[in-house]
Amino acid sequence: MIKSEKLSIAGELAAGIAHEIRNPITSIKGFLQLMQSSEYEKEIYFDIMSSEINRIELILSELLMLAKPQATQTAPRDVTMILEDVVALMQPEAILKNVHIQVMAEIEQAVVDCEENQLKQVFINFIKNAIEAMPDGGVLNIIVTNSSSNELSLQFTDQGCGIPEELISKLGQPFYTTKEKGTGLGFMVSKRIIENHHGTVDIHSKLNEGTTIEVKLPI
Ligand code: ADP
Ligand code: MG
């Protein structure tokens, strides 16, 4: 069952990737043809071509995250420390957007058997989404706690735009995005990584009030 589920996700992804990557390639090809035939200013073609190539790179780098788990090894790591590293990394972007990030660890130790770089990527994705949901600034609260004796809970609570209830189910689908420059891959890739760690991701959201993404990991 797991194998056939993986195959169907691979198929869904492959179809999505083909579509998403064809668009920027078509545009690059079009501008190359224009450049071959025109005698006018070509600077704008270069700008568009380089931004389309950046887009291809962004899509591929997010997808690569999915391909990595097979090759990497897990080790016991303190999740609060990983989280604090990521928050420090995201601080400049948060400050720029008037977002205050507050980490509250309600437990002393949060050691999980994990692939550190992958969890970092997950935290970056959720923090980025929270910042992007608060264009006028606000507070992002991150709580680390135990949801049971053998489970760790991480809650990312923002005061952002929220997600309409009927769209919450779309979040796990590849390429679903409401942002002009979004890829719609961050959430799906993050959920997959947490599931590969035998954990879960839950969404609680209220339109115009905010969103909580809760990650649960076995300890
Ligand atoms: P992207 O950020 O590139 O759009 P994601 O997979 O990270 O792709 O997110 C998909 C969509 O889910 C976003 O476009 C946004 O509409 C919604 N979303 C995710 N996180 C949040 C959040 N914290 N608040 C509001 N909307 C969110
Ligand atoms: Mg995102």
Side-chain angles (χ1 to χ4, degrees), residues 62 125-126 129-130 132-133 158 160-163 171 173 176-179 181-188 205 211 213:
E62 298 218 285
N125 285 343
F126 289 155
N129 280 346
E132 286 161 1
D158 65 53
C161 55
I163 308 163
L171 246 73
Q173 292 173 12
Y176 169 73
T177 181
T178 54
K179 299 167 196 169
K181 298 220 158 150
T183 62
L185 288 171
F187 188 87
M188 181 209 63
S205 191
T211 302
I213 304 291

Side-chain angles (χ1 to χ4, degrees), residues 154-168:
L154 300 160
Q155 283 154 260
F156 298 80
T157 303
D158 65 53
Q159 305 172 322
C161 55
I163 308 163
E165 209 177 317
E166 65 272 19
L167 296 183
I168 287 184

Side-chain angles (χ1 to χ4, degrees), residues 39-182:
E39 297 141 41
Y40 301 106
E41 268 308 327
K42 289 165 184 151
E43 215 154 291
I44 184 170
Y45 305 160
F46 286 117
D47 287 348
I48 296 175
M49 286 166 70
S50 95
S51 97
E52 296 288 41
I53 289 171
N54 286 342
R55 175 146 190 94
I56 295 174
E57 272 178 346
L58 179 68
I59 291 170
L60 292 181
S61 69
E62 298 218 285
L63 283 172
L64 226 51
M65 274 292 135
L66 274 184
K68 274 181 184 161
Q70 288 89 343
T72 47
Q73 295 238 313
T74 60
R77 290 274 180 272
D78 193 310
V79 172
T80 310
M81 298 221 277
I82 301 179
L83 195 57
E84 260 152 14
D85 281 353
V86 171
V87 168
L89 185 82
M90 302 293 290
Q91 213 56 262
E93 195 177 327
I95 292 168
L96 203 70
K97 304 275 166 64
N98 269 323
V99 170
H100 180 65
I101 307 177
Q102 211 167 338
V103 180
M104 282 176 288
E106 294 179 350
I107 47 177
E108 273 179 26
Q109 268 210 335
V111 178
V112 166
D113 208 25
C114 65
E115 216 290 271
E116 185 170 343
N117 283 333
Q118 291 219 321
L119 282 197
K120 273 191 181 161
Q121 192 59 51
V122 170
F123 299 157
I124 290 171
N125 285 343
F126 289 155
I127 293 172
K128 258 187 172 225
N129 280 346
I131 294 174
E132 286 161 1
M134 298 187 280
D136 302 321
V139 178
L140 165 60
N141 268 308
I142 308 175
I143 301 176
V144 185
T145 185
N146 279 127
S147 40
S148 74
S149 60
N150 52 9
E151 197 175 62
L152 198 71
S153 161
L154 300 160
Q155 283 154 260
F156 298 80
T157 303
D158 65 53
Q159 305 172 322
C161 55
I163 308 163
E165 209 177 317
E166 65 272 19
L167 296 183
I168 287 184
S169 63
K170 294 210 169 190
L171 246 73
Q173 292 173 12
F175 306 108
Y176 169 73
T177 181
T178 54
K179 299 167 196 169
E180 199 197 340
K181 298 220 158 150

